Amino acid sequence: MVSSSRESSKKLFVDSIHGDIHLNKREIEVIDTPSFQRLRNLKQLAMGQMVYPNATHTRFAHSIGVLAIMEHIIKIAADTKRIELSDEEKENLRLAALLHDIGHYPYSHLMERIDRVELIEEQVEGAKATKKTLDESGTPYPEHDLVGTLIVNGQKDLIDALGGKERAEAIGNLFGPKRPTTSKEILQLSKLVHSSLDMDRLDYLLRDSLATGVPYGKIDVNYLLNNLKISPSGTVGISEKA
């Protein structure tokens, strides 16, 4: 059974960026899984707190913030009346936003590139200078979005919380490297998870700016979202002025 977003919220988070974020029963069950709770231990900016002492915010808080932005986008899409989504599609998009970072390694993007770090043996052990990568097998570490789809499709706690393997696969496809094939409408909205204009970036620019104290990233996210437009062909974007 699909747990609709129309259900009354059982819990809310008070967020420093987005204020009150209301959650439905399904989202609470996903957040309560060990797989999602792991994100409480992953800092958003890896070792950034060594330079910016207050930058100790986590992927957990960021993921819930991205859910808040998705909720806003779904409402705007509905108000334009150009995109019609079923209750299940709306909730799948919310869950995809919530889970988009579930596959992050420890130390965030830093570990994603460790197999590409070049070492100079002369500096390490005084040998003749030759470059080599840390992973001599030549097999690169997969990107975090691919790891995320593997986790969503393979971890029993998430599969149960999402309502079964079929639904878990559909949600994983919304944020992973494989794009959905269900409908043109949901395909367009899924691009807002990862693209040049995406919810991920809209949240972390604000969150990272607040945590580090630097002015870069202080964007007017409400202005951008309120100027979200959908073209006659169904492409999602923002107005030229915005």
Side-chain angles (χ1 to χ4, degrees):
M1 293 291 291
V2 174
S3 172
S4 171
S5 298
R6 293 178 299 177
E7 292 184 9
S8 59
S9 297
K10 305 293 184 182
K11 188 179 293 186
L12 66 83
F13 282 94
V14 180
D15 183 63
S16 59
I17 303 296
H18 306 293
D20 291 354
I21 302 173
H22 294 265
L23 306 166
N24 64 36
K25 184 174 181 293
R26 178 79 71 186
E27 291 154 2
I28 294 167
E29 290 173 351
V30 169
I31 290 171
D32 283 344
T33 62
S35 292
F36 194 89
Q37 289 292 314
R38 181 184 73 94
L39 298 181
R40 288 186 182 272
N41 298 318
L42 298 187
K43 291 186 173 62
Q44 177 78 8
L45 294 181
M47 302 291 288
Q49 79 275 8
M50 301 301 293
V51 178
Y52 303 99
N54 287 326
T56 57
H57 55 302
T58 64
R59 292 278 163 184
F60 182 92
H62 164 64
S63 296
I64 294 173
V66 174
L67 167 63
I69 296 178
M70 175 60 90
E71 180 178 19
H72 195 162
I73 288 174
I74 289 173
K75 182 180 184 302
I76 292 170
D79 290 345
T80 63
K81 303 185 185 303
R82 286 187 177 175
I83 288 186
E84 294 184 4
L85 299 170
S86 67
D87 288 338
E88 182 175 359
E89 287 176 325
K90 290 176 183 176
E91 189 174 67
N92 282 358
L93 286 166
R94 288 172 60 96
L95 289 167
L98 183 65
L99 290 166
H100 80 285
D101 270 354
I102 196 71
H104 260 290
Y105 296 93
Y107 301 106
S108 193
H109 290 288
L110 185 63
M111 289 294 291
E112 216 168 26
R113 296 175 175 84
I114 195 169
D115 57 317
R116 282 161 266 176
V117 174
E118 292 185 338
L119 298 178
I120 305 297
E121 288 182 344
E122 183 181 53
Q123 296 174 342
V124 177
E125 53 189 33
K128 183 179 179 181
T130 57
K131 290 185 178 182
K132 65 178 182 179
T133 61
L134 290 179
D135 181 9
E136 293 188 345
S137 68
T139 303
Y141 285 82
E143 299 289 339
H144 75 276
D145 55 350
L146 175 57
V147 176
T149 62
L150 297 175
I151 290 174
V152 168
N153 291 320
Q155 289 294 102
K156 186 177 185 303
D157 58 351
L158 284 176
I159 292 171
D160 291 344
L162 293 171
K165 284 183 173 292
E166 185 177 344
R167 191 157 191 224
E169 182 178 359
I171 291 167
N173 288 344
L174 288 172
F175 68 81
K178 179 182 177 182
R179 287 302 180 188
T181 57
T182 51
S183 69
K184 179 176 68 176
E185 289 80 9
I186 202 167
L187 170 61
Q188 286 297 327
L189 289 180
S190 74
K191 289 180 180 178
L192 291 174
V193 181
H194 290 298
S195 68
S196 57
L197 173 70
D198 58 31
M199 298 166 294
D200 183 25
R201 184 173 285 110
L202 291 177
D203 182 82
Y204 75 61
L205 283 174
L206 291 170
R207 199 170 298 277
D208 294 355
S209 178
L210 178 66
T212 59
V214 299
Y216 173 75
K218 291 183 178 179
I219 57 175
D220 190 343
V221 65
N222 287 324
Y223 179 76
L224 290 174
L225 294 181
N226 285 330
N227 281 275
L228 198 70
K229 300 294 182 183
I230 302 170
S231 73
S233 63
T235 301
V236 178
I238 58 174
S239 68
E240 182 177 359
K241 180 181 178 181

